[in-house]
Amino acid sequence: MPFRNVFDEALSVWAPIAAAVFFVVSVVLLGAIALNRVKRREKLPFEASKNTPVELGYVVVLGIIVGGLVFGSFLWNSRLHNGVGLAQAQVTTPAARINVTAYRWCWDFNYQAAPVHVTGQCTVGDFPTVVVPAGQPVEFNLTSDDVIHAFWLPDFAVKRDVMPDHVNTLRLVFPHEGRWRGRCSEFCGTHHVTMDFFVRVVSPEQYQQFLHSGGTAV
Amino acid sequence: MTATADRPAPVEPVASPGGEPGSIVGWLASTDHKRIGLLTLGTALVMMVVAGGLALTIRTQLAQPQLHVLTNDRYDQFFTIHGSLMIYMVMTPFAIGMGLYLVPLQIGAPNVAAPRTTMFSFWLYVTGAVVMLSGFFTDSGAADHGWYAYPPLATGRFTPGQGVDLWIVGVALTGLGMLIMAGTVLWTALLKRAPGVTMLRLPVFSWSVVASNLMVIGAFPSLLAAVGILAIGRVRPDLFTHNAWNIGYQDVFWFFGHPVVYVMFFPYVGAIAEVIATFAGRKFFGYKFFVVSQLLFAALSMSVWGHHMFTTGQSSNYYFSLTSIALVIPAGIEYFDLLATLVGGRLRFPTAMLFGLAFIPQFLIGGLTGIMAGTPALDYQIQDSYFLVAHWHYTLAAGSLFGLFAAVYFWFPKATGRMLREGLGKAHFWLWFVGTNLTFLPMFWLGFHGMPRRIPTYLPADGFTTENLISSIGAALLGLGAMVFIVNVAESLGRPRYAGADPWQGHTLEWATSSPPPTFNFSARYPIPPVHSYAPLLDLRREREQVRSAVE
Ligand code: HEM
Ligand SMILES: [Cu+2]
Ligand SMILES: [Cu+2]
């Protein structure tokens, strides 16, 4: 799961940093309160209302931290778009190209390679299921017939807006076979809440069968 | 040293412009910045009660799977108006209104510049709020497109009701009102300062108002442009069949939308700086760094809007990620100065201080998760999920709103001459401290596990039930806390305990005059003391102590 991998990596770097910052600030805060309670001091521990060298030094430290964070953000972003993991999807021709059209309030999936069309009502028991091959690059071309929607696969940390008069292209490699839920995440009106779909990942052979049978046999 | 606590507030026999001071007309046509300020603040608090009621209804509906307290469309109206009120009618007007009330006092000015224009801006604001809310009384109900009203959804084609028209007019009126009010307060701070009050002796709070109002001047015209575009789309929805107009709207809107979240932050952090310095009994640490960082913050804030649009695929990931993460520098300096003031102090813990202290770790959670949202690889997961709902409520509700209450508990005695009850205040604080974290912490998990925002219900099989229930219980505590606060205000006004001029041993000029201050703020009886720094009253107190110890 290339997206998920980059997401997990970014999170595993970022979460400890955030936790450390939160910890330090909390300790200083609670420490100040505790110390104050222990001894009702007559004299202030330090009277100074400024300390320029310390603050300048601190600004430099902040600058370095920001540099690191920006570097991380750039690195992960470039991986998402053309680096490790997705590189496959970028350089090779996608094994599956699927035109996705969102409308109020469901989804149409049209396969470019064969006249296969998947849709549904987006009511209980009738959510569209898009079938894709495992381990091969899949391309979704996202567009909308009416308002802005968003194509979200929460289990893969992938999201792209689906806009009218515009095509957003999303290339992914699904490593395992399985079935995952996708949701619309950009508010689009009354039935936004039920605008779900499923991604079913099958073996490449099964995928070919699926295409040849016109979208029935899986 | 200070006025005794039980002496009734002195009344100054000064003619008041614009009608009998005590009458309704005296209030509604006043040209006194304190009255216009209190009207603005009071209106914002009333709007907060309405917006809070909507939020509690939302939380009731989400407490369990598949509840149907509201229909889908009503639910959509409720979150839209909750968010729109909180942003346009509560946190922003309160921030600017605090500046209107306090800045002239803090700089020793008799009144705001252009008082009639300022009064007019208040009327624009109230009218806007009423117009927006009146949407609930139309056949199709209030606006239901969310607080940023993206086209094409918000056009006449997909959301035909009058609620949207009223929303557009309401936002335009209030937006214009706030632009004007911020302008007159800024003008006052820059050009109406008393002798001795140089720019580098401006109190920390006044500086944060200056920085904040500069952002208003830069950003709010963009809001007016955005709702103007929407208004055209109401009549000609075909405009929004073109991508350029859809994405263009988002750019124009967020050019306003990001700075405004700092307008809902600066004056509150400025208030907290005053509260912490006062109750630490020392001068605010690192004044110049704080001032520079606020100006830097304000400038940078105009360059980050595209981080709201990473998922559109039509924003610049690198540029906006860089500018967004760079905000860590000014924010880090502000945190350093707040903490350094605290660590060096002899602390007291009245309610205002408790709200101020809780702000620090809570807003930090909002800030840290904000950097995540500014990192596209992470944003692709959290955007438009409950994670984001948690993030901004940590900045605005757990952060700025705590600052708002710190300010209310701190300055209420100055504005009314009466003390709020400390016992009730502390009950309010603890209910809110627990309630806020119970409400918003579980939302981080919900977002990570796939709960989109703006959904009226969910299924038992989704696995969202426990977190949502905890969140709704937290919201109930918030409701309770708010009631305690209302009782506190009623009690303090009904059975007054008089405050005296300076109940907290404050640092800035407003504490040198009576509570409430006379019409023109200072008088022969309450003259403006000499100003040699940004904490003139603290200087005076120190001098007197030195004289006293020299005599002994
Ligand atoms: C203190 C108690 C509060 C509670 C219990 C609360 C609760 C909620 C809930 C449940 C939602 C709906 C989330 C969704 O479905 O997307 C929401 C949305 C929102 N809230 Fe709050 N909130 C509170 C305070 C605030 C404050 C102080 C602000 C400050 C500006 C605020 C701004 C918003 C905004 C902008 C939205 C988004 C509306 C939209 O999606 O268009 N809230 N809130
Ligand atoms: Cu949707
Ligand atoms: Cu932003």
Side-chain angles (χ1 to χ4, degrees):
Chain A
M1 295 177 225
F3 262 88
R4 186 89 217 183
N5 286 348
V6 176
F7 174 83
D8 286 345
E9 186 185 319
L11 192 63
S12 68
V13 172
W14 175 238
I17 298 179
V21 171
F22 186 75
F23 180 76
V24 169
V25 169
S26 305
V27 165
V28 173
L29 183 67
L30 293 175
I33 296 171
L35 273 179
N36 183 70
R37 295 252 147 161
V38 173
K39 36 182 181 175
R40 286 225 139 259
R41 291 164 304 190
E42 279 310 305
K43 268 197 153 341
L44 295 174
F46 62 97
E47 281 276 358
S49 56
K50 66 172 185 207
N51 188 331
T52 309
V54 169
E55 288 222 66
L56 278 179
Y58 174 66
V59 172
V60 172
V61 173
L62 281 177
I64 294 171
I65 294 175
V66 165
L69 292 174
V70 171
F71 174 77
S73 173
F74 281 19
L75 181 76
W76 296 316
N77 192 58
S78 76
R79 285 210 191 147
L80 279 188
H81 289 285
N82 40 38
V84 182
L86 272 193
Q88 237 185 333
Q90 290 287 341
V91 295
T92 52
T93 321
R97 282 204 158 112
I98 302 165
N99 295 343
V100 183
T101 307
Y103 54 92
R104 304 211 305 170
W105 284 276
C106 208
W107 306 84
D108 269 352
F109 297 92
N110 284 297
Y111 290 75
Q112 288 189 2
V116 176
H117 173 86
V118 174
T119 190
Q121 293 294 319
C122 284
T123 50
V124 181
D126 192 15
F127 293 104
T129 299
V130 56
V131 177
V132 296
Q136 297 181 342
V138 178
E139 179 179 289
F140 294 104
N141 297 302
L142 310 165
T143 193
S144 164
D145 264 355
D146 40 46
V147 304
I148 303 172
H149 305 264
F151 180 94
W152 186 24
L153 298 172
D155 297 304
F156 296 86
V158 182
K159 183 180 298 121
R160 272 301 181 287
D161 289 355
V162 183
M163 305 181 74
D165 190 36
H166 180 79
V167 179
N168 269 330
T169 302
L170 197 58
R171 287 185 181 163
L172 298 167
V173 181
F174 295 90
H176 309 292
E177 295 178 25
R179 188 165 175 270
W180 286 278
R181 185 180 187 191
R183 301 197 72 163
C184 175
S185 64
E186 180 67 51
F187 179 69
C188 53
T190 311
H191 299 293
H192 164 61
V193 55
T194 43
M195 210 174 133
D196 294 1
F197 59 93
F198 288 94
V199 177
R200 174 136 185 240
V201 184
V202 299
S203 70
E205 299 76 47
Q206 280 174 307
Y207 176 69
Q208 288 308 327
Q209 274 176 16
F210 168 80
L211 283 189
H212 291 313
S213 68
T216 45
V218 195
Chain B
M1 189 165 59
T2 52
T4 44
D6 47 9
R7 190 176 67 195
V11 183
E12 293 284 327
V14 189
S16 155
E20 275 297 300
S23 68
I24 305 253
V25 176
W27 274 90
L28 298 187
S30 175
T31 48
D32 178 350
H33 76 98
K34 295 184 290 301
R35 292 200 160 185
I36 311 172
L38 288 180
L39 286 171
T40 307
L41 301 177
T43 310
L45 287 179
V46 171
M47 288 299 139
M48 187 198 292
V49 173
V50 179
L54 296 173
L56 290 184
T57 320
I58 294 175
R59 280 313 327 163
T60 310
Q61 164 119 339
L62 292 177
Q64 288 291 295
Q66 290 185 295
L67 292 183
H68 292 289
V69 181
L70 304 163
T71 62
N72 283 9
D73 287 335
R74 264 290 179 230
Y75 182 92
D76 300 342
Q77 294 168 22
F78 272 38
F79 73 67
T80 299
I81 301 298
H82 160 73
S84 304
L85 284 182
M86 283 293 192
I87 300 234
Y88 304 110
M89 311 294 173
V90 179
M91 299 306 281
T92 303
F94 199 97
I96 297 173
M98 276 203 302
L100 174 59
Y101 186 90
L102 287 168
V103 167
L105 286 164
Q106 287 201 328
I107 64 173
N111 202 353
V112 67
R116 284 187 188 80
T117 312
T118 309
M119 191 34 148
F120 176 62
S121 72
F122 164 75
W123 282 110
L124 284 175
Y125 157 50
V126 181
T127 315
V130 171
V131 169
M132 181 190 284
L133 278 174
S134 66
F136 277 115
F137 303 103
T138 63
D139 295 339
S140 51
D144 60 355
H145 44 49
W147 79 274
Y148 40 75
Y150 277 173
L153 181 63
T155 60
R157 179 161 304 150
F158 298 106
T159 315
Q162 295 137 347
V164 184
D165 303 323
L166 294 167
W167 185 93
I168 291 173
V169 174
V171 169
L173 290 175
T174 301
L176 183 62
M178 287 302 119
L179 182 58
I180 295 173
M181 193 183 280
T184 61
V185 174
L186 184 64
W187 174 5
T188 311
L190 296 182
L191 296 175
K192 300 273 165 186
R193 282 168 283 123
V197 187
T198 61
M199 277 316 268
L200 282 179
R201 292 179 195 159
L202 217 54
V204 179
F205 173 79
S206 287
W207 253 117
S208 58
V209 171
V210 168
S212 179
N213 289 7
L214 279 170
M215 280 188 298
V216 174
I217 308 279
F220 275 53
S222 202
L223 172 67
L224 299 179
V227 292
I229 297 175
L230 269 190
I232 298 171
R234 298 299 293 168
V235 196
R236 305 198 152 270
D238 279 344
L239 191 64
F240 295 104
T241 52
H242 303 291
N243 179 55
W245 282 93
N246 289 328
I247 201 74
Y249 173 85
Q250 295 193 12
D251 277 311
V252 173
F253 183 86
W254 289 115
F255 189 79
F256 147 82
H258 199 88
V260 77
V261 305
Y262 295 142
V263 172
M264 297 183 280
F265 167 56
F266 283 19
Y268 301 109
V269 82
I272 282 171
E274 301 280 6
V275 166
I276 286 183
T278 302
F279 296 119
R282 64 190 295 246
K283 263 192 186 168
F284 187 72
F285 184 91
Y287 173 80
K288 281 189 184 157
F289 277 86
F290 197 86
V291 168
V292 172
S293 75
Q294 289 216 312
L295 291 174
L296 182 68
F297 221 133
L300 263 179
S301 81
M302 311 291 293
S303 68
V304 300
W305 77 90
H307 67 207
H308 295 269
M309 298 160 58
F310 286 144
T311 56
T312 60
Q314 303 180 69
S315 170
S316 169
N317 286 6
Y318 292 110
Y319 176 73
F320 288 112
S321 181
L322 171 72
T323 52
S324 304
I325 295 176
L327 289 169
V328 167
I329 294 178
I333 297 172
E334 294 186 359
Y335 259 74
F336 186 87
D337 293 341
L338 287 174
L339 288 173
T341 307
L342 201 63
V343 169
R346 255 191 311 266
L347 309 183
R348 290 174 286 158
F349 298 99
T351 309
M353 181 68 156
L354 295 182
F355 274 101
L357 291 177
F359 167 93
I360 293 177
Q362 291 182 164
F363 185 85
L364 183 62
I365 295 179
L368 291 169
T369 50
I371 304 171
M372 295 176 69
T375 303
L378 295 170
D379 185 62
Y380 287 146
Q381 174 73 340
I382 63 193
Q383 189 262 0
D384 267 342
S385 79
Y386 258 79
F387 190 96
L388 208 78
V389 178
H391 151 67
W392 84 67
H393 281 98
Y394 261 96
T395 61
L396 288 167
S400 297
L401 199 54
F402 273 59
L404 185 153
F405 280 112
V408 168
Y409 281 95
F410 190 58
W411 278 298
F412 186 90
K414 176 50 61 187
T416 62
R418 288 127 201 243
M419 303 297 287
L420 284 167
R421 303 288 190 274
E422 275 298 308
L424 289 172
K426 292 201 165 137
H428 173 198
F429 169 76
W430 287 109
L431 282 168
W432 269 56
F433 179 67
V434 176
T436 298
N437 291 292
L438 276 185
T439 308
F440 298 117
L441 212 48
M443 293 183 183
F444 286 119
W445 274 263
L446 286 171
F448 263 167
H449 292 111
M451 180 159 165
R453 66 190 274 207
R454 298 174 166 173
I455 56 171
T457 191
Y458 51 94
L459 300 172
D462 289 335
F464 301 151
T465 311
T466 317
E467 286 84 355
N468 271 304
L469 183 61
I470 296 174
S471 175
S472 295
I473 293 172
L477 294 183
L478 291 176
L480 206 61
M483 281 193 286
V484 173
F485 172 69
I486 293 170
V487 170
N488 197 349
V489 171
E491 173 85 4
S492 305
L493 295 179
R495 299 198 292 131
R497 282 183 203 152
Y498 293 104
D502 184 14
W504 311 119
Q505 296 175 296
H507 292 182
T508 43
L509 289 184
E510 74 271 27
W511 303 107
T513 188
S514 59
S515 306
T519 308
F520 295 111
N521 293 344
F522 298 90
S523 61
R525 185 160 169 205
Y526 292 97
I528 302 175
V531 178
H532 299 297
S533 80
Y534 56 92
L537 267 57
L538 188 68
D539 295 342
L540 272 185
R541 215 170 286 132
R542 289 274 160 77
E543 269 168 37
R544 286 205 203 106
E545 276 164 21
Q546 270 162 11
V547 170
R548 204 179 306 139
S549 56
V551 168
E552 285 161 11

